[in-house]
Amino acid sequence: MDATALVQKVRRIVLGRGGNNGYRQLRLSFKVMDSSGDLQLSKAEFAAGLRKFGLPLSAQEEDQLMAAFDTQGDGLVSLKEFFQTIRGPMNSRRTAIVDQAFAALDKDGSGVCDLNDLRGTYDASRHPQVIAGRATEKDILDQFLRTFDSQTNPDGTVTYDEFHEYYNGLSGMIDNDDYFESMVIAAWNLGRPAASIPQ
């Protein structure tokens, strides 16, 4: 079985265990195995988490999954990448709120956010490191921008696609649409209740 078919098999099994609740149960199984708490699993932790969840995979299939998700070749599986792939892209409701957040951030409508856009949205003067005198507002803004900037093209700007890629990864780790929506609203100070967002 190739990696794509194996991912589809895992997705079917997880969804068969109650949809989002199945994802939550699998994440809890992995959390118990993640002894370091860094959201990275060794091959042994990954296999143990799959077995604890009750996924009926052969040793060969476990090895195939490990190889497919060990994108850095370091013997570790990123849970964020795993759940992003297993869950697939954000649904339309989540995509809509992320679109609204990007529009709020992209003040000039250029499709690319830079420090000037960020300054109008994120108040770094209240950051604890700035208050303590250990960092400047620009340092904090740069650090914040790097969170969203592509690791393969770190150019100090964030495109629409990079912003969505960040939130798509985060989305894979959050089961509840209401919680995801509220988190994005709060993070970007969109200033309206989740109930008023079209579904």
Side-chain angles (χ1 to χ4, degrees):
M1 182 178 300
D2 71 352
T4 302
L6 192 52
V7 166
Q8 290 173 349
K9 176 181 177 178
V10 171
R11 185 179 293 135
R12 278 192 310 275
I13 292 168
V14 172
L15 287 172
R17 295 244 177 127
N20 283 340
N21 192 43
Y23 288 117
R24 186 180 61 77
Q25 290 173 356
L26 180 57
R27 194 171 61 250
L28 289 174
S29 294
F30 283 143
K31 186 176 182 179
V32 169
M33 299 303 133
D34 184 15
S35 58
S36 62
D38 62 356
L39 299 179
Q40 301 277 332
L41 297 180
S42 68
K43 181 178 180 179
E45 291 171 331
F46 185 63
L50 293 171
R51 283 191 293 276
K52 181 172 177 52
F53 181 73
L55 276 169
L57 300 177
S58 68
Q60 180 183 3
E61 288 173 324
E62 287 176 1
D63 288 344
Q64 283 181 286
L65 266 184
M66 179 71 190
F69 287 104
D70 181 10
T71 57
Q72 303 297 314
D74 58 3
L76 298 172
V77 172
S78 160
L79 289 182
K80 181 178 173 184
E81 288 180 24
F82 177 80
F83 280 103
Q84 179 180 347
T85 302
I86 291 296
R87 290 187 76 141
M90 290 184 288
N91 62 32
S92 60
R93 180 177 174 189
R94 291 181 185 207
T95 299
I97 194 64
V98 171
D99 284 347
Q100 290 175 17
F102 188 80
L105 178 60
D106 183 17
K107 300 289 187 202
D108 62 7
S110 66
V112 176
C113 297
D114 58 18
L115 278 178
N116 292 327
D117 291 314
L118 195 53
R119 278 190 185 100
T121 307
Y122 182 70
D123 183 6
S125 69
R126 295 180 180 192
H127 193 281
Q129 290 184 354
V130 173
I131 292 169
R134 292 191 301 264
T136 66
E137 287 183 49
K138 184 179 182 317
D139 293 337
I140 297 302
L141 289 170
D142 284 338
Q143 178 184 0
F144 190 77
L145 200 56
R146 280 193 304 270
T147 301
F148 297 94
D149 200 1
S150 169
Q151 301 305 303
T152 58
N153 180 28
D155 58 4
T157 63
V158 177
T159 65
Y160 174 87
D161 289 340
E162 289 170 334
F163 194 76
H164 269 262
E165 182 181 322
Y166 172 83
Y167 274 107
N168 198 50
L170 189 59
S171 176
M173 297 294 288
I174 299 172
D175 297 327
N176 185 287
D177 285 343
D178 290 334
Y179 179 77
F180 179 85
E181 198 171 77
S182 296
M183 179 196 63
V184 174
I185 288 169
W188 297 104
N189 196 24
L190 298 179
R192 55 200 183 83
S196 66
I197 297 169
Q199 296 185 19

